[in-house]
Amino acid sequence: MEATEEANIIDSHPINEGLVAFRHQFESSQAYLGFVGTSRAVEDILSAESASDLVLDLIGALQTLPAARVLRSQIDRKTRLRADLFSLGSKAGSSDFDIRSAIPLVELVVNNAPDAEIWRAVYDLIALTNPKQLTPPTAFEKAVFDTPLRSSSASQSGIEQTHDEVDQRILEELTGRVFYDVGGFYERYFEGMVWTNNAMDIYEESRAQYTEGCWSGWPQPSIQSHFFEWFMEFQDIVLSGLRRRYYTSANKVLRGSEADRKLDIFLTPADATLPDGEHDWSNVLVFGEHKQNPDEDGSAKTLVQLAGYAREVFGSQPERRFVPGFTICGCMMRLWVFDRSGPYNSEKFDIHKEPERFVKVLAGYAMMSDAELGLNTFIKRDGNDKYIVTRDVRISLEDKPIASTKAIVCRGTTCYRGRRSDSTEWEYVVKFAWPSDKRQREGELLKLAKERGVTGIAVWFNHEQIIIDGDPDSISHFRRDMKFGTPRKLSSKASWVDGSTESSRAYSKTSLRGRSGSGATHLMGLGISVSSATASSSGQKRIRDEGLDGGSRLRRSKSNGSHASGTNVRITESELDAIGGHSIQETLVDSLADCRNQWQRNNVDNIQEAGADSLTDCDSETYGNRVHYCLVTSPAGRPLHEYHSVKELLEALRDAIRGHRSLLENGKILHRDVSENNIIITQHPTEEAPRGRLIDLDLAKELDSMPSGARHRTGTMQFMAIEVLEGKGHTYRHDLESFFYVFVWMCIRYGYEGARREKVNKVMRSKTNILRGWYTGTYTEIANTKQGHVVKNRFENVIVEFSPKFENLKPLARELRTALFPIRDGDIFIGTFHDHDIMYNGMIDAFSRAIDRLGEEEQAIA
């Protein structure tokens, strides 16, 4: 039925007094239950035991209205709406019916809303209870080909951080990305530099401290306290007068650490400003770790400690391009670099047997340029002002970012507000990120969206690849002129495997088994077992093992008949022992084309089997190359957590959903990465402009495009949709589910304004416990937790944790849950509708009603 015809029928068949009797009945129930004068009367009454009888009476009254006999059914076009109402009445009388799904309709009726709104709510309620007949799940061609998911440690933040949880995520994040004994490392970073001769001069002067094949005063054994005394005294003698200096914080947590990390040795500017006289992670240029035992050089525990330090540096210095580090285990030294594709290191060397190398390394770090230490010199500094120049426009950046990512191997997205030098208004968002070189540039997608008339998202101004010292900034450029072998992996004892036996048992196989992240696709080791072919930093292809079939796929699990997908791989200890702790391997597919074709052949007819797991075998490069980009968009905005009022927050979320809808329907682009950080509150919007906008199209894809070829895509686990966690093809429905999780997350984590910080932390530790299952465990465990939470009864256990500021948003949370998870065949429906309007309208209308209620409450208070 056309909308005009439907409107004409409603106008010509008015409800008039047809629902007066029901309103009187509702008022009687309200008085009987003592809910008169409450702002949540409908919600409270529909929670009562007699609620089903009230809803049945309303459905019966609607059946008798003249319009119900004329309006057509949207399920069967040959019948009328009255038939759907009879069916709805049958469902409403069953125990499977979610009575709260009727709240929007009942509220409209008791408030005597316009007829058109009431009938639209009737259609919506029928749609929610008949998803299978009305709109079956989306077909294959509507799903986007997905790059395999990969977890990162970004999901651990703030007070949720503990060493155990963060370190576990770090291990998963680094799986397959750790390279030991990289050829040419020392030459690449310490030879042929402008300061190399000066470093050699320092070594020549240091030789007076070297006698009989050993550094004078070297402690035996190398107990930590004695080593630090020796190291600092050595520095005062050998490295004095340099503009940077090494310090230690081995016995004290360094300021700015969220995971309470101490740091054995770190390099920082000698003239660094020290608030309260204490060093901060934001000043760390190079970090070092000391171990008394030389056998700990290659242990997993040492790796995780170093990675924890690198994560703290990236978190405190979000513009950082890479972070150097080193270990001194006994008298053995090893040099490290952590960049956005993972860590790699040099061959270890004995500081007594190679004294020249030892001094040139320590002096070299102290004399390196900012760019050589990994700082972002694309950002210029003029006094206290930091700025960039793009399209001949100088754009000043706000001091602190509005969004950043605390992880190592990721896109490293960091966003600042920006303004022209002659303006006081923040008008831009300046974003730095490290996307895969295989992905379509976000700037290109934003330009395309603009051409297609998309509204409600960031508007493109400029994008460019960053150039540092005349060279394109990329992982492949960092790693040039070096030889990378195969990534390291863990044995069943979690020790490193390189042909020798190590004694480290930092992480048992049970602690690593089955953890989350697409890191499970390279399960049980930091690496994939491949041939011993060596590849250079240019990204040469791996040579396929002769024993591997290029068309092979992951096996199906015989235990439950389901895919042993990359997002849910769990190996028992007996299976692990049978495989062999030193030879854990996964089948590789020789080319992405083979993999893609195999995926299409097996899954073209069934969206429920279409997903990321089939692509997890497609790693064909030694490491993933990422490219450093700068994107400038407008308008400027604030992060969600800087809302000025609850109403503003809801408007921002609603308008961001509208922007997502326009991006999908007008731009034919699916976002795929909705999270708290990817929605901004627009700064000073006009009356017609959206209050919130969707940003960050790094992982977005055109609807009909094929996989990018990128090795993995990371996401924020707490906001991932259930089916995405299960490895199914990504649709618009999954992004809407992510919006829902963002809303709930905000209502629990924020809204404690006015309370003392100590009290807030104590309250939040208990309240946010319920959210821990959204980002801890395997992908399947997280999916199961979320699915359990959105079930009607369990959902009340979630929203009871809403903070005081958002207490009155519980009805909205219930409406959103009902719109996203309708009941179908006695269970919640988590699939995708063909008709976009069902879920988009359900969510947008729910937000709009809540915003209107807030406006009415504000007027009443005034």
Side-chain angles (χ1 to χ4, degrees):
M1 180 181 295
E2 295 293 335
T4 303
E5 179 185 356
E6 181 181 287
N8 290 336
I9 291 174
I10 292 173
D11 289 342
S12 59
H13 297 79
I15 294 176
N16 291 331
E17 304 301 313
L19 297 177
V20 170
F22 172 78
R23 292 191 187 98
H24 289 158
Q25 181 183 355
F26 180 87
E27 290 169 0
S28 298
S29 299
Q30 189 177 15
Y32 176 77
L33 295 171
F35 295 139
V36 176
T38 65
S39 61
R40 302 181 301 175
V42 174
E43 174 195 351
D44 293 336
I45 289 174
L46 291 193
S47 299
E49 293 184 3
S50 59
S52 60
D53 292 338
L54 195 65
V55 172
L56 284 171
D57 289 341
L58 174 57
I59 295 172
L62 291 166
Q63 292 171 8
T64 65
L65 297 177
R69 302 171 184 271
V70 185
L71 290 169
R72 291 184 184 176
S73 165
Q74 290 188 353
I75 297 175
D76 183 351
R77 310 304 286 173
K78 297 178 181 179
T79 63
R80 302 295 175 181
L81 179 60
R82 190 182 184 200
D84 294 344
L85 285 167
F86 278 114
S87 176
L88 179 62
S90 299
K91 291 185 173 108
S94 72
S95 59
D96 292 332
F97 183 73
D98 184 357
I99 201 71
R100 295 186 182 277
S101 63
I103 289 177
L105 173 60
V106 175
E107 283 186 337
L108 291 172
V109 171
V110 299
N111 292 320
N112 203 14
D115 290 7
E117 293 185 22
I118 291 176
W119 289 117
R120 176 45 49 196
V122 170
Y123 276 122
D124 289 345
L125 181 57
I126 291 171
L128 289 173
T129 56
N130 292 271
K132 185 173 182 180
Q133 295 89 340
L134 181 61
T135 48
T138 184
F140 166 77
E141 65 270 17
K142 295 296 183 182
V144 169
F145 285 91
D146 277 344
T147 306
L149 282 169
R150 181 96 184 214
S151 67
S152 77
S153 60
S155 297
Q156 266 65 41
S157 62
I159 62 172
E160 281 84 19
Q161 291 197 106
T162 65
H163 271 307
D164 290 343
E165 291 176 356
V166 175
D167 290 353
Q168 179 61 59
R169 288 299 182 208
I170 287 173
L171 273 176
E172 295 159 6
E173 181 178 319
L174 300 186
T175 297
R177 291 153 164 174
V178 184
F179 293 89
Y180 268 61
D181 301 322
V182 171
F185 185 106
Y186 177 79
E187 291 75 12
R188 160 72 178 81
Y189 287 105
F190 294 91
E191 294 290 356
M193 305 298 178
V194 296
W195 42 263
T196 298
N197 289 338
N198 291 339
M200 186 63 188
D201 291 341
I202 292 174
Y203 164 67
E204 292 296 338
E205 294 176 3
S206 74
R207 295 178 67 177
Q209 306 301 315
Y210 186 80
T211 58
E212 298 181 358
C214 181
W215 288 107
S216 299
W218 177 262
Q220 288 287 2
S222 178
I223 298 171
Q224 190 172 74
S225 60
H226 295 167
F227 167 79
F228 291 144
E229 290 177 9
W230 175 87
F231 187 91
M232 294 306 167
E233 183 178 347
F234 180 84
Q235 174 179 231
D236 291 339
I237 297 172
V238 175
L239 304 176
S240 61
L242 299 179
R243 63 192 182 99
R244 301 190 183 105
R245 181 175 174 82
Y246 294 95
Y247 294 89
T248 179
S249 186
N251 298 317
K252 187 176 184 180
V253 172
L254 211 60
R255 285 172 58 99
S257 172
E258 290 187 336
D260 292 338
R261 295 190 189 276
K262 301 172 184 177
L263 192 50
D264 284 358
I265 304 170
F266 59 94
L267 181 72
T268 192
D271 59 352
T273 302
L274 304 179
D276 300 324
E278 296 182 358
H279 287 281
D280 191 286
W281 281 100
S282 63
N283 294 324
V284 173
L285 299 175
V286 181
F287 58 77
E289 176 70 12
H290 168 262
K291 301 289 184 184
Q292 179 179 341
N293 185 355
D295 290 339
E296 293 191 66
D297 166 71
S299 72
K301 180 179 179 181
T302 300
L303 167 70
V304 171
Q305 282 184 291
L306 293 176
Y309 303 152
R311 183 176 180 271
E312 293 284 2
V313 174
F314 279 125
S316 298
Q317 305 173 40
E319 306 154 11
R320 196 70 181 260
R321 298 156 53 236
F322 59 87
V323 186
F326 61 86
T327 57
I328 298 178
C329 299
C331 59
M332 305 303 296
M333 189 172 196
R334 189 186 292 274
L335 314 179
W336 287 81
V337 167
F338 286 76
D339 62 31
R340 293 303 186 178
S341 286
Y344 54 98
N345 63 39
S346 70
E347 296 177 337
K348 61 185 177 182
F349 64 92
D350 190 315
I351 67 173
H352 298 302
K353 294 180 179 179
E354 297 188 63
E356 177 182 328
R357 179 169 297 202
F358 175 59
V359 173
K360 289 173 68 176
V361 164
L362 293 180
Y365 282 137
M367 293 188 293
M368 284 181 178
S369 68
D370 288 349
E372 289 169 338
L373 286 170
L375 277 66
N376 185 356
T377 55
F378 179 81
I379 298 176
K380 310 299 182 183
R381 284 169 170 78
D382 183 4
N384 293 326
D385 184 32
K386 61 182 181 181
Y387 65 94
I388 64 169
V389 177
T390 183
R391 285 176 55 180
D392 296 325
V393 177
R394 172 168 166 159
I395 299 177
S396 296
L397 306 181
E398 198 169 19
D399 185 47
K400 294 183 179 180
I402 60 174
S404 62
T405 306
K406 190 148 190 161
I408 303 168
V409 185
C410 62
R411 286 168 286 141
T413 301
T414 302
C415 297
Y416 291 90
R417 291 195 297 178
R419 57 176 173 80
R420 293 175 183 262
S421 56
D422 58 353
S423 173
T424 58
E425 297 292 334
W426 301 110
E427 54 185 307
Y428 299 107
V429 173
V430 180
K431 172 182 175 180
F432 300 95
W434 291 85
S436 165
D437 66 347
K438 295 177 179 60
R439 293 196 183 281
Q440 187 175 3
R441 297 280 76 81
E442 179 185 12
E444 295 169 1
L445 286 172
L446 285 171
K447 290 181 69 176
L448 184 63
K450 186 176 182 180
E451 293 168 1
R452 293 175 177 175
V454 175
T455 59
I457 65 170
V459 179
W460 177 89
F461 176 77
N462 188 57
H463 73 281
E464 60 185 292
Q465 182 173 349
I466 288 177
I467 304 297
I468 301 290
D469 290 344
D471 295 311
D473 216 30
S474 66
I475 300 300
S476 61
H477 184 70
F478 295 165
R479 301 187 179 193
R480 68 190 184 278
D481 303 327
M482 291 184 284
K483 298 295 183 180
F484 288 78
T486 58
R488 287 296 182 97
K489 63 177 181 288
L490 292 175
S491 74
S492 60
K493 301 299 184 183
S495 58
W496 292 106
V497 180
D498 61 347
S500 62
T501 302
E502 301 285 358
S503 61
S504 170
R505 303 190 180 200
Y507 294 91
S508 69
K509 61 190 176 185
T510 53
S511 71
L512 286 172
R513 185 180 68 248
R515 297 294 299 182
S516 76
S518 50
T521 65
H522 304 80
L523 192 68
M524 305 303 297
L526 300 188
I528 304 175
S529 179
V530 294
S531 67
S532 59
T534 298
S536 73
S537 62
S538 60
Q540 292 173 315
K541 304 296 182 184
R542 287 175 178 160
I543 299 175
R544 181 176 57 181
D545 281 347
E546 294 181 0
L548 298 179
D549 178 5
S552 62
R553 291 168 50 86
L554 291 174
R555 297 180 181 178
R556 288 181 178 271
S557 167
K558 294 183 180 180
S559 61
N560 58 12
S562 63
H563 270 310
S565 72
T567 55
N568 181 27
V569 181
R570 193 178 275 280
I571 301 177
T572 65
E573 292 193 32
S574 59
E575 290 171 330
L576 178 65
D577 293 336
I579 294 172
H582 295 278
S583 60
I584 299 171
Q585 300 185 8
E586 297 187 43
T587 56
L588 298 177
V589 178
D590 186 45
S591 72
L592 181 62
D594 290 343
C595 182
R596 188 178 297 150
N597 292 337
Q598 181 76 10
W599 189 89
Q600 288 177 292
R601 287 195 296 272
N602 285 282
N603 297 307
V604 71
D605 296 323
N606 188 353
I607 183 60
Q608 300 303 326
E609 300 238 349
D613 55 324
S614 303
L615 294 177
T616 57
D617 298 329
C618 295
D619 291 346
S620 59
E621 294 183 345
T622 303
Y623 57 81
N625 184 33
R626 295 177 180 269
V627 180
H628 198 189
Y629 270 83
C630 176
L631 170 69
V632 182
T633 60
S634 64
R638 289 174 275 118
L640 276 183
H641 66 264
E642 290 186 11
Y643 59 88
H644 291 163
S645 68
V646 176
K647 182 180 179 183
E648 182 185 61
L649 175 63
L650 298 189
E651 288 175 335
L653 287 168
R654 178 197 62 188
D655 292 352
I657 294 173
R658 287 172 172 168
H660 186 278
R661 184 180 201 167
S662 179
L663 183 67
L664 179 81
E665 296 178 350
N666 303 120
K668 308 302 179 186
I669 296 170
L670 184 61
H671 190 277
R672 300 198 308 161
D673 190 27
V674 173
S675 70
E676 176 189 352
N677 283 336
N678 291 345
I679 305 166
I680 61 171
I681 300 173
T682 307
Q683 196 80 348
H684 308 304
T686 63
E687 188 63 33
E688 300 78 17
R691 266 54 177 176
R693 290 180 185 260
L694 193 60
I695 63 172
D696 196 350
L697 270 63
D698 269 339
L699 296 184
K701 289 182 69 70
E702 292 188 72
L703 292 182
D704 298 327
S705 63
M706 295 295 283
S708 64
R711 300 177 68 182
H712 298 95
R713 62 187 176 99
T714 56
T716 313
M717 284 174 287
Q718 54 263 44
F719 306 125
M720 286 183 188
I722 294 168
E723 287 193 325
V724 171
L725 290 163
E726 292 174 341
K728 295 181 172 63
H730 206 124
T731 71
Y732 74 91
R733 182 259 190 279
H734 302 127
D735 281 353
L736 290 180
E737 188 176 330
S738 293
F739 275 111
F740 170 71
Y741 295 137
V742 170
F743 167 74
V744 174
W745 184 267
M746 294 291 298
C747 289
I748 294 178
R749 286 184 58 88
Y750 301 100
Y752 296 93
E753 294 88 341
R756 295 195 318 274
R757 186 170 189 85
E758 304 80 32
K759 181 179 180 182
V760 170
N761 285 345
K762 183 177 180 180
V763 171
M764 283 185 63
R765 281 191 180 92
S766 61
K767 284 182 173 288
T768 55
N769 276 341
I770 199 163
L771 298 179
R772 289 167 59 82
W774 289 14
Y775 56 82
T776 57
T778 67
Y779 274 172
T780 296
E781 288 166 348
I782 296 171
N784 290 339
T785 296
K786 287 183 175 179
Q787 188 159 349
H789 280 174
V790 297
V791 172
K792 175 185 174 183
N793 295 331
R794 292 280 303 280
F795 189 60
E796 293 300 314
N797 296 333
V798 176
I799 64 176
V800 74
E801 303 295 352
F802 276 19
S803 65
K805 189 83 170 181
F806 301 119
E807 181 74 25
N808 62 343
L809 296 186
K810 291 179 181 179
L812 171 59
R814 297 186 184 103
E815 287 187 56
L816 295 174
R817 186 201 70 85
T818 299
L820 277 170
F821 303 100
I823 301 299
R824 168 177 156 180
D825 297 334
D827 198 1
I828 61 170
F829 176 66
I830 60 173
T832 301
F833 294 143
H834 275 301
D835 185 355
H836 301 163
D837 290 344
I838 295 173
M839 286 189 172
Y840 275 114
N841 286 346
M843 294 189 71
I844 292 171
D845 291 348
F847 273 109
S848 294
R849 285 191 293 270
I851 291 166
D852 290 341
R853 287 195 296 268
L854 286 174
E856 293 170 0
E857 291 174 5
E858 289 173 359
Q859 290 178 358
I861 293 173

